[in-house]
Amino acid sequence: MKARLNLQEYTNGILQGDRVVLAKAITLIESQLSSDRIIADQLVEKVLPHSGNSIRIGITGVPGVGKSTFIEVFGKYIIDEHKKKIAILTVDPSSPLTKGSILGDKTRMEELSKNSMAFIRPSASGEAVGGVTHRTREAIHLCEAAGFDVILVETVGVGQSEIAVKKSVDFFLLLMLAGAGDELQGIKKGIMEMADAIAITKADGDNKFKAHEARAEYQHALHLVRPDSSGWLPKVFTCSAVLSEGIDSIWNAILEFQQLLISNGIFETRRQRQQVEWMHECFDQLFKMEFQKSPWLHEKKSSLESDVLAKKITPYQAAQTMLKEFIHSLRGSNQT
Ligand code: GDP
């Protein structure tokens, strides 16, 4: 199959659930070429009415917590026991300098990747969080239109991208290790507050007792942290991917969560809110890009920076001046 298809070919392939076309379509939406962007936008618009029919699950945890092993087992469980199709999108905010991938170059989820009911797609790494989120959201819609019932968005629990992913999913699952140091728990605190469920991984062998202890502690901590407006109380589980234990409880909790939020109307309201937030984020990005393209900006910015450093003007006043000049320059360019 050729590398680039036309809009009709992309649309038909996706709606027929063709995984090869879906992969090519995601490459298209990740492309930086403006000619690709035009088709990508049209494609997302075409598939939008066919999307939405899935449960979107965010999953995160520090490297080594057992994400890929968990996803492999979780994915197979959903496919075998519930006959559902699962798409896994990984968001990997690695440094563009090192081009290194935190999620590893090794083949992850080897068995799942061969299963025709699964689709696994690592994101283009090394991009700004904003860009990654936008592309991930588009990819979610494409996967849904291709008939995937469960969309799993995986991130590494080390930074900003979790917050962005939280805004793109229905349910947020945090994987944690039992007995990890205080420092690690510190990083996790903000992320913990976003979790709809926590799963303590590797609850097997010598680690089993520690995992059960950690579960009780986290459950207690979560009760203190957040009474959710949806009526959902975050749950804590232990699981062992190696022994395939605890996987069904996590899946059942996700279903329970979905049923609760559908019954009280919050499921759809949240998705609608996310869609509108997406629009605002796109606007912010487009505005910034437009602003940075302005030819006068560089010179003006340097002189304002000097004024700020010399305390001739406050940072806020300087920002206002830049905005005013930008609006002025737009008016000028409209008149020519
Ligand atoms: P990731 O970096 O979060 O994707 O973690 P991996 O899935 O690659 O797992 C990291 C290590 O933990 C590997 O050596 C796995 O074999 C091991 N591991 C993962 N899940 C389990 C589990 O349920 N029990 C045990 N004992 N080890 C596990």
Side-chain angles (χ1 to χ4, degrees):
M1 201 189 282
K2 51 194 175 163
R4 278 189 176 70
L5 309 176
N6 64 37
L7 179 62
Q8 201 56 42
E9 288 167 327
Y10 280 120
T11 314
N12 290 346
I14 286 177
L15 295 182
Q16 284 158 13
D18 185 326
R19 291 187 304 161
V20 178
V21 175
L22 176 61
K24 284 185 190 300
I26 296 180
T27 305
L28 179 81
I29 60 174
E30 284 171 353
S31 167
Q32 309 280 354
L33 287 177
S34 50
S35 54
D36 284 341
R37 193 62 247 167
I38 294 168
I39 303 178
D41 281 338
Q42 291 169 342
L43 175 62
V44 175
E45 190 189 343
K46 284 237 179 226
V47 302
L48 208 57
H50 303 276
S51 69
N53 199 15
S54 80
I55 175 87
R56 304 167 185 164
I57 306 167
I59 181 165
T60 193
V62 290
V65 71
K67 287 181 298 302
S68 50
T69 317
F70 175 85
I71 294 171
E72 173 105 315
V73 175
F74 184 75
K76 277 190 330 212
Y77 166 80
I78 292 174
I79 293 169
D80 295 343
E81 301 295 321
H82 298 279
K83 312 291 171 234
K84 292 200 179 294
K85 291 174 79 179
I86 181 166
I88 296 134
L89 306 169
T90 59
V91 175
D92 189 354
S94 328
S95 148
L97 287 178
T98 59
K99 289 226 166 68
S101 159
I102 305 178
L103 290 169
D105 292 330
K106 65 187 155 96
T107 312
R108 305 171 83 241
M109 306 158 216
E110 209 165 328
E111 269 191 60
L112 204 56
S113 61
K114 290 181 199 139
N115 195 310
S116 64
M117 299 273 281
F119 174 78
I120 302 178
R121 175 70 185 210
S123 81
S125 62
E127 280 187 69
V129 170
V132 171
T133 330
H134 177 55
R135 283 170 186 72
T136 304
R137 280 171 158 150
E138 290 189 328
I140 290 174
H141 286 283
L142 296 188
C143 292
E144 287 175 347
F148 287 89
D149 312 290
V150 178
I151 317 287
L152 215 73
V153 184
E154 178 196 13
T155 55
V156 191
V158 291
Q160 275 288 310
S161 52
E162 282 66 42
I163 298 164
V165 168
K166 167 82 179 170
K167 292 191 210 160
S168 320
V169 297
D170 306 309
F171 187 92
F172 199 72
L173 174 66
L174 170 64
L175 301 188
M176 302 255 322
L177 290 165
D182 274 358
E183 219 171 283
L184 200 62
Q185 309 302 327
I187 304 170
K188 284 276 146 285
K189 215 169 167 112
I191 296 174
M192 222 175 99
E193 286 166 22
M194 302 186 326
D196 296 300
I198 293 179
I200 317 284
T201 55
K202 310 187 192 182
D204 46 50
D206 292 345
N207 210 28
K208 196 165 181 168
F209 180 71
K210 253 190 345 193
H212 284 279
E213 266 188 345
R215 174 175 184 258
E217 271 171 41
Y218 285 126
Q219 187 73 65
H220 182 67
L222 279 186
H223 276 297
L224 299 176
V225 164
R226 192 186 70 167
D228 193 300
S229 60
S230 68
W232 176 255
L233 262 182
K235 290 185 165 45
V236 188
F237 298 91
T238 56
C239 68
S240 165
V242 166
L243 301 179
S244 282
E245 279 177 8
I247 308 295
D248 50 351
S249 310
I250 296 169
W251 173 244
N252 286 334
I254 294 169
L255 290 186
E256 201 188 313
F257 170 91
Q258 190 181 25
Q259 275 155 14
L260 174 74
L261 269 71
I262 288 175
S263 69
N264 62 21
I266 289 180
F267 194 81
E268 206 40 51
T269 317
R270 272 197 190 168
R271 278 200 172 178
Q272 284 171 354
R273 205 176 56 213
Q274 287 177 347
Q275 206 73 355
V276 172
E277 268 173 20
W278 183 9
M279 177 188 96
H280 288 294
E281 280 171 22
C282 288
F283 177 78
D284 290 349
Q285 271 176 36
L286 289 173
F287 182 81
K288 213 168 172 181
M289 272 161 57
E290 208 54 45
F291 190 73
Q292 279 161 354
K293 270 196 307 202
S294 308
W296 53 269
L297 179 71
H298 191 67
E299 205 180 308
K300 190 74 202 169
K301 200 166 70 174
S302 317
S303 88
L304 282 168
E305 278 170 3
S306 308
D307 289 349
V308 167
L309 289 177
K311 298 194 174 167
K312 282 190 198 161
I313 182 170
T314 69
Y316 183 75
Q317 284 168 333
Q320 267 189 323
T321 306
M322 276 212 282
L323 180 64
K324 274 187 197 146
E325 296 233 3
F326 178 59
I327 295 169
H328 190 72
S329 77
L330 288 181
R331 288 207 183 110
S333 63
N334 274 347
Q335 280 159 10
T336 52

